[in-house]
Amino acid sequence: MIVSNFLKWVHTARVSERAYAAGLLARAFIENQFSLEDRCAAESALTLLLDDPSWKVRLAMAEALSMSRHAPLQIISALASDQPEVASLIIGRSPLITDLDLIDWVASGSSATQVLIAQRSAISMSVSAALAEVGEADACLALLANPGADIASISFRRIAERFGDSAPVREAMIGDSRLPSDCRHMLLVKVGEALSRSPLVCALMGSARAQRITRDACIKASITVIDGTRPDEHVALIEHLRLRGDLTASFLIRAVAHGKIDFFGSAMVVLTGQAEHRVRSLLSGGGDGAVAALMRGAGLGAATHGVIMRALKIWREVAKGKQVAGVQEVSWLMLRELGGPNAEGELASLLKSIHLDVLRENARDHALAIAAA
């Protein structure tokens, strides 16, 4: 009887009155305030209201139904296809919307629709993958900012590949603790490339020098990426570096000098194809001949063997608590293996550079500590 009277009245009511009444009817429906017979009638009335000439009536329905699991599915579906003001509530909130629906809307919808989807309270890995693959930059930013989004490593990589040149996206990704290490390195390289192309930087130091300096800075910063990389992610980072051509002998020497022995071991496993337990055993206690054979199998030239083995022996002693040393001491002893400060050649220049960088960093840290005391 209530619904029957409502349907007779609704045709003559003003828009504001219809909208208010539609909201009340929708809330009463989801709160189950009707008998079974009246509930069926109420659902029919709500369906009829989808044809109301005013979008404000449908907006009132959307506001009432958008977060309920008990809303009629056909009404939710129709409201989700309505004009943006109405559809946004359903797309952004409704638990009745399936992942398949969301993925379709990501592929065919506007940037605003993609952002609404990316801001939902919970985003499955499949929907995140769709946004990473075809979503606009704003949608990917919204996805990265959403703590309820389940994002796979491959989706992070796609966002980095597609929008790594965008400063806001880079900032959002670098600040995300879930970001895989190879993506972090990729973004690091993109920052360097952006700096080297900067008109101001090129004007100050010239294009060639800017590229050289930023490349060196990226290599040094790559070592810090290893610190934030879990051992189970080492292989992914190594493969990323290898595909980029960055997994060079110089990079591995720099890693060993900085004590990244676990990473070096993972690189030896990848490059030689030997079992991980054998490689770990050789690096932790193998003889010079066996370690040299391992490095030959990895493609490292004989000239590098001596300095790497020198560093490995020191880090072994440090790990056992028999010696106290850091990167400054290790890099100096590696350089002495080549003849000391007067040694010449590319390898000696590399070790001098590593040692001087560490000296500067240690001096800077010491000065800051004094200033802070």
Side-chain angles (χ1 to χ4, degrees):
M1 181 63 70
I2 295 174
V3 176
S4 175
N5 291 336
F6 171 82
L7 290 174
K8 293 174 182 177
W9 165 83
V10 77
H11 294 294
T12 58
R14 294 192 298 269
V15 171
S16 59
E17 294 173 336
R18 297 201 309 272
Y20 179 71
L24 286 179
L25 181 63
R27 279 189 288 275
F29 181 89
I30 61 176
E31 291 170 4
N32 200 20
Q33 296 179 9
F34 297 110
S35 65
L36 179 60
E37 183 179 355
D38 284 342
R39 184 173 177 80
C40 292
E43 182 173 339
S44 298
L46 288 171
T47 304
L48 182 64
L49 286 172
L50 292 172
D51 298 326
D52 193 284
S54 174
W55 64 271
K56 293 182 180 179
V57 173
R58 300 191 299 279
L59 178 64
M61 292 169 58
E63 287 174 341
L65 299 173
S66 61
M67 300 184 71
S68 174
R69 292 187 176 276
H70 304 293
L73 185 57
Q74 77 277 12
I75 295 177
I76 290 295
S77 178
L79 292 173
S81 302
D82 211 305
Q83 63 189 71
E85 292 86 350
V86 177
S88 62
L89 292 175
I90 303 300
I91 294 172
R93 299 177 182 176
S94 178
L96 298 179
I97 300 297
T98 68
D99 281 356
L100 289 177
D101 292 329
L102 294 173
I103 291 170
D104 285 343
W105 286 330
V106 166
S108 61
S110 64
S111 176
T113 298
Q114 292 175 349
V115 170
L116 286 170
I117 293 170
Q119 291 174 334
R120 284 173 64 92
S121 59
I123 304 290
S124 71
M125 195 174 287
S126 58
V127 176
S128 293
L131 286 164
E133 192 65 36
V134 300
E136 299 292 336
D138 288 345
C140 289
L141 269 174
L143 179 69
L144 294 167
N146 187 347
D150 189 5
I151 309 176
S153 295
I154 191 171
S155 296
F156 277 114
R157 293 186 185 99
R158 285 299 293 142
I159 295 174
E161 290 167 359
R162 296 180 63 222
F163 300 116
D165 293 324
S166 166
V169 173
R170 283 200 306 266
E171 183 178 353
M173 295 190 76
I174 290 173
D176 196 317
S177 61
R178 300 168 295 177
L179 186 69
S181 57
D182 55 327
C183 292
R184 200 170 294 277
H185 181 266
M186 184 191 306
L187 295 173
L188 180 68
V189 171
K190 287 184 178 292
V191 170
E193 292 172 348
L195 284 174
S196 67
R197 294 192 300 265
S198 167
L200 176 60
V201 173
C202 291
L204 288 173
M205 60 182 63
S207 178
R209 184 163 178 257
Q211 290 181 5
R212 185 175 68 255
I213 289 175
T214 52
R215 184 174 62 251
D216 291 345
C218 285
I219 291 172
K220 294 170 187 175
S222 297
I223 297 298
T224 66
V225 172
I226 298 174
D227 288 331
T229 303
R230 301 193 310 269
D232 60 332
E233 290 185 345
H234 280 168
V235 171
L237 179 57
I238 288 163
E239 289 293 354
H240 170 74
L241 291 168
R242 184 161 68 162
L243 289 172
R244 283 188 49 82
D246 292 337
L247 192 67
T248 61
S250 297
F251 184 82
L252 291 174
I253 289 170
R254 190 179 291 274
V256 171
H258 281 80
K260 316 301 181 188
I261 307 304
D262 285 343
F263 176 83
F264 180 73
S266 296
M268 293 299 100
V269 170
V270 171
L271 295 173
T272 64
Q274 294 197 34
E276 182 177 356
H277 68 85
R278 172 168 170 75
V279 171
R280 302 294 179 193
S281 176
L282 288 174
L283 294 182
S284 62
D288 290 358
V291 175
L294 177 70
M295 289 189 284
R296 279 196 301 272
L300 292 173
T304 68
H305 295 180
V307 296
I308 292 176
M309 285 191 285
R310 183 73 172 119
L312 287 174
K313 289 175 182 177
I314 301 169
W315 290 123
R316 286 175 186 172
E317 296 297 300
V318 171
K320 295 174 183 177
K322 296 181 178 180
Q323 185 173 346
V324 177
V327 182
Q328 180 176 321
E329 293 78 17
V330 172
S331 59
W332 172 249
L333 293 172
M334 291 172 76
L335 182 58
R336 282 188 59 185
E337 191 72 20
L338 298 177
N342 297 322
E344 297 180 353
E346 291 184 9
L347 184 54
S349 295
L350 171 63
L351 291 171
K352 288 177 188 177
S353 173
I354 294 171
H355 184 63
L356 292 175
D357 287 340
V358 175
L359 283 176
R360 283 193 290 268
E361 184 178 343
N362 289 346
R364 187 182 303 112
D365 291 344
H366 184 58
L368 292 174
I370 293 173

